[in-house]
Amino acid sequence: MSLNTINETSTSEAIIRSQQLNSEVQTILNKAILGEELSVDEACVLFATEGEEAQAVLAAADQVREQRVGNTGSFVVTRNINFTNVCYMGCRFCNFATEKGSKDAEFLTVEQVADRAEEAWQRGATEVCIQGGLHPDIDANYYRNLVIAVKKRVPEIHIHAFSPFEIWYGCKKARLEPEVFLSELKALGLGSMPGTAAEILDTEVRKQLTKNKLTTEEWVRIIRAAHSVGVPTTSTIMYGHVDQPIHWANHLKLLRDIQKDTGGFTEFVPLGFIHYETRLYKDNPDKVRPGPTRDEHFKMHAIARLMLQGHIDNIQASWVKMGPDVAAQMLRSGANDLGGTLMNESISRAAGATHGQEVMPEDMVANIEAAGLSAIQRNTKYQTVRDYTQDPVQPNRIAIQGVA
């Protein structure tokens, strides 16, 4: 049976209490609904469910989502700025990177990045998400100068920038410890960091994906450093390639453990592997899966909600990876956020994603309301910018183009 969004006409409680459920699954879901912590083994049991039991997992996640964050779905108006597609790291799952001398190579100046940030602000964005490849010409001051240029041009915009891999690279260039480097960036205007480059936080899996160039320990070290100096981050997982449910469950537990210590994660974002143009898949089609199944998408968001509840309570569904319609269905399967309206998104498209670069705010609102939730535009820190129950979309209103 293919997993679907929870039908509002059937209550999640009835599904969970079904006599046809395996007693172990029933016990685990009851624990989750009561707010008790699930173990790695229990998460693996839930990942293995099928049919009615899998539907019960989604129902429990929907119930816990309502308990933790209410019946609202959110999104942010932001812009993705990929300042360079040149990267020498050679991660096999990535088709975004190119060589320095390639005709397709791009490396924006800090003023060009500031131009794009200013344009985003003028169009209503509250945030810019800035990331790029590890270009060999990046010097010790590039990341600092980039933040300075954007803040000088658009003082009020929130800068959400630099993955842990970029921070690792910047620290090498500047010969600074992560805490010092991040403190400097924060003082200049860095507001938060994307917790990307996590992939799967398992050494053996990372060796197959990236040759372990940024180890699990290094990723955790930089994330903890960011949190320690007051720079919040997102958290992510990239699943559906050479990984298994045990890796997913351990990854979720590690994120939960970090959050218990630091409280610095703002959200969790599951990112399905886009396989089409990647070397990882093309070189090993018999060993590498072509991304997650539809069922795995639903279970990942649902089980993340159950495992992370009370610690990371914002679960984001990526419409770039799954498409707007499927992402909206995740709002009744554990997720409560649809991420950002997009422009110039390059990384997923380079890997072969078929979904567009941009969804308008009015489309976000429509998708959230179609899921039976109230729509809210938020900022990076999940504070309400606009409540659409109080200020609804007007029929002939021209939507502002945002970008994340």
Side-chain angles (χ1 to χ4, degrees):
M1 179 187 297
S2 177
L3 304 189
N4 298 303
T5 186
I6 301 302
N7 189 316
E8 288 184 84
T9 61
S10 63
T11 68
S12 58
E13 294 177 357
I15 296 173
I16 297 163
R17 287 200 297 265
S18 169
Q19 296 302 308
Q20 297 181 45
L21 293 188
N22 175 289
S23 60
E24 184 179 21
V25 171
Q26 182 88 62
T27 298
I28 294 169
L29 295 183
N30 286 339
K31 279 184 62 176
I33 289 169
L34 292 173
E36 297 179 23
E37 191 169 283
L38 301 188
S39 69
V40 167
D41 288 343
E42 288 169 330
C44 287
V45 169
L46 299 185
F47 276 121
T49 56
E50 296 180 350
E52 186 172 342
E53 291 180 350
Q55 289 288 342
V57 173
L58 306 194
D62 190 46
Q63 186 172 336
V64 172
R65 184 268 309 154
E66 183 177 357
Q67 291 170 187
R68 299 303 311 181
V69 295
N71 282 316
T72 59
S74 57
F75 68 95
V76 63
V77 179
T78 178
R79 180 173 196 166
N80 247 16
I81 304 176
N82 299 130
F83 56 84
T84 184
N85 60 352
V86 174
C87 187
Y88 73 93
M89 297 308 290
C91 298
R92 301 175 67 223
F93 62 86
C94 176
N95 202 53
F96 168 72
T98 190
E99 295 180 356
K100 180 179 174 181
S102 168
K103 63 180 178 60
D104 298 320
E106 183 177 42
F107 189 19
L108 302 181
T109 67
V110 295
E111 290 305 317
Q112 288 174 314
V113 173
D115 290 342
R116 296 188 184 192
E118 184 176 13
E119 180 186 23
W121 177 258
Q122 292 170 348
R123 291 168 130 183
T126 60
E127 168 195 292
V128 283
C129 178
I130 305 172
Q131 297 185 87
L134 306 188
H135 196 298
D137 290 348
I138 285 176
D139 61 26
N141 293 312
Y142 180 81
Y143 296 118
R144 297 187 188 99
N145 291 340
L146 194 154
V147 173
I148 291 168
V150 172
K151 272 297 179 182
K152 181 178 179 181
R153 189 78 63 81
V154 197
E156 298 303 314
I157 206 160
H158 182 99
I159 299 178
H160 180 65
F162 313 135
S163 73
F165 215 165
E166 290 171 89
I167 295 299
W168 170 86
Y169 193 52
C171 288
K172 283 186 63 177
K173 292 285 186 174
R175 298 183 180 180
L176 294 173
E177 291 297 311
E179 290 83 358
V180 177
F181 188 59
L182 284 159
S183 292
E184 291 183 1
L185 291 174
K186 180 186 177 185
L188 294 172
L190 178 67
S192 59
M193 275 175 55
T196 48
E199 291 34 290
I200 296 290
L201 296 172
D202 175 272
T203 298
E204 292 309 310
V205 174
R206 294 180 79 80
K207 284 180 179 178
Q208 297 178 65
L209 299 178
T210 68
K211 298 182 180 177
N212 213 28
K213 290 171 182 172
L214 179 71
T215 67
T216 295
E217 292 74 21
E218 287 166 333
W219 188 92
V220 171
R221 165 88 169 91
I222 289 166
I223 287 291
R224 285 184 175 274
H227 295 177
S228 74
V229 300
V231 176
T233 74
T234 64
S235 59
T236 64
I237 187 172
M238 186 187 72
Y239 60 106
H241 36 82
V242 296
D243 48 341
Q244 299 296 328
I246 182 62
H247 302 127
W248 305 341
N250 279 323
H251 185 108
L252 290 169
K253 181 181 182 298
L254 178 55
L255 295 179
R256 186 174 67 190
D257 290 344
I258 294 170
Q259 186 74 337
K260 286 179 182 180
D261 291 341
T262 71
F265 288 129
T266 56
E267 67 216 66
F268 174 65
V269 190
L271 302 169
F273 172 55
I274 303 293
H275 72 288
Y276 302 102
E277 301 297 333
T278 64
R279 285 187 297 116
L280 180 67
Y281 179 76
K282 292 170 75 173
D283 293 349
N284 305 276
D286 57 330
K287 298 179 181 178
V288 179
R289 293 197 296 134
T293 65
R294 179 184 173 89
D295 291 2
E296 287 170 340
H297 279 310
F298 278 96
K299 284 193 280 191
M300 177 62 75
H301 290 75
I303 295 166
R305 168 63 67 186
L306 301 181
M307 275 199 82
L308 299 177
Q309 65 166 312
H311 301 290
I312 306 175
D313 278 327
N314 294 308
I315 308 296
Q316 184 181 123
S318 172
W319 66 264
V320 177
K321 301 293 186 182
M322 298 179 289
D325 292 342
V326 175
Q329 292 180 54
M330 297 297 161
L331 296 176
R332 300 311 299 267
S333 304
N336 66 300
D337 186 78
L338 291 183
T341 56
L342 288 183
M343 182 188 297
N344 307 121
E345 199 285 330
S346 304
I347 297 172
S348 294
R349 284 189 299 117
T354 57
H355 305 297
Q357 292 194 66
E358 183 170 12
V359 168
M360 306 296 277
E362 62 189 20
D363 297 321
M364 289 286 203
V365 173
N367 284 330
I368 291 167
E369 292 179 345
L373 304 183
S374 299
I376 287 177
Q377 179 189 337
R378 63 167 175 87
N379 63 15
T380 312
K381 297 181 179 180
Y382 282 80
Q383 297 164 326
T384 298
V385 173
R386 178 177 175 184
D387 183 343
Y388 284 88
T389 62
Q390 305 298 321
D391 182 17
V393 174
Q394 299 302 313
N396 296 317
R397 192 171 194 157
I398 298 174
I400 295 172
Q401 292 187 1
V403 260

